[in-house]
Amino acid sequence: MKKTLNDRTLVGLKPAPAGKRYVVWDSVLPNFGIRVTEHGHKTFFVMRRLHGKLKRWNIGRFPVFEITGAREKAREFLQD
């Protein structure tokens, strides 16, 4: 699922069903998203292909990381 991630959207994300996780991709910045667990933990991450393999880097949890800071960190990962 793709959405424009903002504070209101992030607060409204419901926990995943038991034993599952789900991902919401950001429509503003490609390869950036947030993963939501069954316990309601929300973790920002960025995905990038490196040496032919798809890699995921966790940036931090919401609300410790705000969306603007997480997007900025994701841009840094993607530019390297």
Side-chain angles (χ1 to χ4, degrees):
M1 154 177 27
K2 232 181 201 188
K3 289 186 175 185
T4 301
L5 297 179
N6 56 39
D7 288 334
R8 185 176 178 183
T9 304
L10 296 173
V11 169
L13 293 175
K14 305 278 188 233
K20 303 281 182 179
R21 298 176 185 167
Y22 70 90
V23 171
V24 179
W25 294 99
D26 188 24
S27 61
V28 175
L29 182 63
N31 303 321
F32 172 66
I34 191 161
R35 184 177 59 190
V36 183
T37 67
E38 65 181 297
H39 300 291
H41 298 283
K42 301 166 187 168
T43 306
F44 293 109
F45 70 94
V46 64
M47 291 191 81
R48 179 177 162 194
R49 194 167 293 280
L50 184 65
H51 304 294
K53 294 184 180 181
L54 198 56
K55 299 283 243 172
R56 184 184 74 220
W57 287 276
N58 289 334
I59 295 171
R61 280 196 176 168
F62 177 79
V64 175
F65 264 82
E66 294 180 359
I67 185 66
T68 53
R71 257 196 204 112
E72 194 171 305
K73 195 78 162 165
R75 281 189 181 102
E76 289 174 18
F77 273 111
L78 294 171
Q79 287 177 356
D80 286 344

